[in-house]
Amino acid sequence: MVDKDEKPMAEIQHIDHSQSEWNLQGVLPNTSKPWYKERHFLLLNLGMIIPYLSSTTNGYDGSMLNGLQSMSQWQGFFGSPTGTRLGSLSNGVIFGQILAFPIAPWLCDHTGRRFPIFIGSLLLVIGAVLQCAAQDYAMFLVSRMIIGFGGLIAVEASPMLVSELAFPTHRSVLVGYYNNLWYLGAMLAAWVTYGTYFMGPNASWAWRIPSLLQGFFPLVQVLFVYLLPESPRYLVQKDRYEDARKVLVKYHAGGDEDSPLVDFEMKEIILQIQTAKMASKSGYREFLSTRGNLHRLFIIIAVPCMMQLSGNGLIAYYLHLILNSIGLTSDPQQLRINGGLTVFNLGVSIALASLMEMAGRRRLFLFSTVGMLTCYVIWTILSAINQERGFKDSSLGTGVIVMIFLYQFFYNAGLNGPPWVYVTEVLPTHLRAKGTNIMQIASTCVLVFNGYANPVAMDAISWRYYIVYCCVIAVEIALVYFGFPETKGHSLEEVALIFDGEEAFGTEPKGGPEDV
């Protein structure tokens, strides 16, 4: 047993990082079996479903609120909220997230990755029950704040756990699937609200049932999250080297204690974390300490802004306003379009995630932003013509719907799966929780804007508001082209070389390895 205050000398031997990618390929298990026929891979990859459910719950929320807005039962119960009153309900989750910002990274750094998922999911269950039981606007708003508070804690820890547990060659696809499962929740919420709509014009359970079901996936997480192992990188960060090695031996090497892959992973993880600890500054100010960290800070702010400020917020939370603007005002019709869009998004996003390792991250970001801009320009033109003709030409409305679906295709290609892969790759272990928190803060700032500006602007200027997003997406193309390096084909530790050079792993301290 290695004492927790000692550094395992055998693990921190020199690594030739000039050929680190070759080293990784050289120590991978030599097997012709597909992963699903290897018991340890099967258990590990299926276990990823538990943290995935944080994304599913998040997707359920947006689609559910979309569906509720298209239900006369919900509109009647809450007095048909519009403008800032409607925006407050959308931002209720955001208000809760803001309160969780100082807590979530502390929990991830001091309690691991599993406990934040557990406690965040438990709060989500409580929030869903209160949301279902809401008797007025204020109670519904408070319940959504509780959902946001718990949701942020779970969402910050979940992709970190996936990224840090995944087998090296599976990581990009597995993390890519994390955000794609957002659409599973969105699809379920869309069709649940469609089904409960027909319960009757005065049935409050038409909206209470979807509200209660928001707690189902968090309940599954509460019950099963501790079946997953803890992150080996977190364990190393806490000097629990023996425990970290056991996780890697069991889930990456199938129980082989002498696996060269485990030796290689332990060496890289320990060396990178110990180097980071020696060079570490105080708190969040470390992001301003080096050129590499400033570059990381730019990326972790730019990525969430792109994810939320590319016009997708209109579709996610205010699809009924878009459909109203092109003359499609029937409740069942809007619910069917919302449901069909979520099915399309789920299928497309899962298919596209498999291309991530083949195409690379940067290329997908560029493909996505250029495609979204093209769709938004056409969408804007069709909406303008449709309004000028008094919504009498149904083909123009159909054209807008087609552009919405095409836009979602391009959005999924680059801004659904790749962002979480990219952000967890560019952040070193000791900054990953803080960096993820900065990402969530940036995302929340944009979501607050979306929550209040989108419904007000759509009511005031209708299709002309789309021009704003055309300009924003054009700026995003430039940001990706000039500021996003490729990280494809590297381990989490090796990506540090792209930003910090050889300083990422430091040099052996004077006095020999025994002083490390």
Side-chain angles (χ1 to χ4, degrees):
M1 175 72 69
V2 179
D3 185 85
K4 79 178 192 67
D5 294 322
E6 292 181 14
K7 307 296 182 281
M9 304 311 140
E11 304 289 6
I12 318 180
Q13 297 170 359
H14 177 69
I15 304 170
D16 179 9
H17 292 288
S18 64
Q19 301 184 44
S20 55
E21 186 175 351
W22 179 86
N23 284 335
L24 175 62
Q25 295 299 322
V27 297
L28 291 174
N30 184 17
T31 176
S32 58
K33 290 184 180 180
W35 67 266
Y36 50 86
K37 291 187 177 180
E38 297 277 4
R39 185 174 183 273
H40 57 291
F41 286 154
L42 183 63
L43 290 175
L44 179 62
N45 292 348
L46 287 179
M48 297 300 183
I49 293 173
I50 303 303
Y52 282 169
L53 293 180
S54 295
S55 182
T56 303
T57 302
N58 203 15
Y60 187 98
D61 180 77
S63 183
M64 181 195 72
L65 193 60
N66 239 345
L68 296 186
Q69 291 175 70
S70 295
M71 296 174 68
S72 57
Q73 299 96 325
W74 184 85
Q75 293 283 3
F77 193 91
F78 291 103
S80 299
T82 59
T84 56
R85 190 172 172 84
L86 176 59
S88 293
L89 286 184
S90 298
N91 281 338
V93 169
I94 308 303
F95 300 149
Q97 290 177 349
I98 292 172
L99 295 175
F101 281 142
I103 299 171
W106 186 91
L107 284 172
C108 291
D109 282 340
H110 292 83
T111 68
R113 313 311 191 211
R114 295 180 300 178
F115 179 74
I117 296 175
F118 172 83
I119 193 66
S121 299
L122 183 61
L123 289 169
L124 274 162
V125 173
I126 295 171
V129 172
L130 293 176
Q131 184 175 245
C132 167
Q135 298 301 307
D136 51 32
Y137 177 92
M139 186 174 177
F140 195 83
L141 178 59
V142 169
S143 69
R144 291 186 59 72
M145 291 177 65
I146 295 172
I147 287 171
F149 185 87
L152 182 101
I153 294 172
V155 162
E156 284 214 4
S158 294
M160 292 169 61
L161 182 61
V162 174
S163 179
E164 294 173 358
L165 268 182
F167 189 74
T169 58
H170 298 170
R171 190 187 70 250
S172 63
V173 173
L174 288 174
V175 180
Y177 282 154
Y178 170 79
N179 216 39
N180 292 338
L181 268 291
W182 191 96
Y183 289 122
L184 175 61
M187 179 185 70
L188 293 173
W191 289 109
V192 166
T193 52
Y194 178 72
T196 58
Y197 169 80
F198 296 101
M199 293 179 70
N202 298 314
S204 68
W205 279 104
W207 61 266
R208 293 187 191 276
I209 289 175
S211 298
L212 181 62
L213 288 177
Q214 189 168 358
F216 173 74
F217 293 119
L219 180 60
V220 173
Q221 291 179 289
V222 167
L223 295 175
F224 297 109
V225 67
Y226 278 99
L227 294 180
L228 277 173
E230 185 56 88
S231 160
R233 288 168 175 84
Y234 167 77
L235 294 172
V236 168
Q237 195 171 16
K238 294 302 179 182
D239 297 333
R240 295 169 56 186
Y241 302 100
E242 185 92 355
D243 293 336
R245 185 178 181 86
K246 286 179 180 178
V247 171
L248 294 175
V249 167
K250 180 176 181 179
Y251 291 99
H252 286 193
D256 182 5
E257 294 281 354
D258 300 319
S259 168
L261 172 63
V262 172
D263 292 338
F264 178 80
E265 288 188 286
M266 286 296 293
K267 287 175 185 177
E268 283 214 319
I269 293 170
I270 294 170
L271 187 55
Q272 196 273 330
I273 289 177
Q274 293 304 325
T275 301
K277 282 182 178 179
M278 288 188 286
S280 182
K281 311 299 181 195
S282 56
Y284 287 89
R285 284 182 294 175
E286 188 170 350
F287 281 101
L288 306 176
S289 64
T290 66
R291 185 173 180 176
N293 283 347
L294 283 170
H295 194 175
R296 291 183 175 100
L297 182 62
F298 159 74
I299 288 174
I300 62 178
I301 291 175
V303 166
C305 288
M306 291 169 58
M307 290 174 70
Q308 305 297 346
L309 202 57
S310 298
N312 55 300
L314 283 175
I315 300 173
Y317 285 88
Y318 303 107
L319 181 61
H320 78 294
L321 296 180
I322 296 174
L323 298 178
N324 287 344
S325 73
I326 57 175
L328 300 175
T329 58
S330 163
D331 287 357
Q333 189 177 32
Q334 289 190 0
L335 289 166
R336 285 194 296 271
I337 292 173
N338 184 34
L341 191 61
T342 57
V343 173
F344 173 81
N345 283 332
L346 179 62
V348 166
S349 62
I350 290 176
L352 289 172
S354 304
L355 301 176
M356 214 173 310
E357 200 57 40
M358 184 190 310
R361 297 19 156 190
R362 185 174 183 274
R363 190 177 298 171
L364 285 175
F365 279 128
L366 285 171
F367 174 75
S368 173
T369 48
V370 171
M372 287 191 301
L373 178 59
T374 303
C375 291
Y376 240 102
V377 169
I378 299 173
W379 175 355
T380 303
I381 294 171
L382 291 176
S383 297
I385 297 172
N386 198 21
Q387 187 178 67
E388 287 181 0
R389 296 182 181 178
F391 309 115
K392 294 179 180 178
D393 190 343
S394 60
S395 63
L396 291 171
T398 302
V400 170
I401 299 299
V402 171
M403 284 302 108
I404 291 174
F405 275 78
L406 281 177
Y407 165 87
Q408 288 294 129
F409 171 83
F410 287 109
Y411 178 86
N412 289 326
L415 294 183
N416 189 44
W420 278 110
V421 177
Y422 199 59
V423 168
T424 54
E425 285 177 341
V426 305
L427 290 168
T429 301
H430 73 293
L431 290 178
R432 197 163 289 137
K434 293 182 178 68
T436 303
N437 199 45
I438 292 173
M439 180 183 180
Q440 291 291 350
I441 291 172
S443 179
T444 296
C445 291
V446 179
L447 285 170
V448 170
F449 168 82
N450 283 342
Y452 283 115
N454 284 344
V456 174
M458 283 295 294
D459 285 340
I461 59 176
S462 189
W463 65 266
R464 295 173 186 83
Y465 187 46
Y466 304 151
I467 298 172
V468 173
Y469 287 113
C470 292
C471 298
V472 170
I473 298 171
V475 172
E476 291 174 356
I477 295 172
L479 292 179
V480 172
Y481 187 82
F482 292 107
F484 283 34
E486 183 57 73
T487 57
K488 170 188 172 183
H490 299 282
S491 72
L492 287 178
E493 285 65 44
E494 291 163 358
V495 172
L497 294 168
I498 298 173
F499 292 88
D500 305 315
E502 291 297 330
E503 295 178 4
F505 292 92
T507 56
E508 193 170 271
K510 295 178 180 179
E514 64 274 7
D515 295 323
V516 177

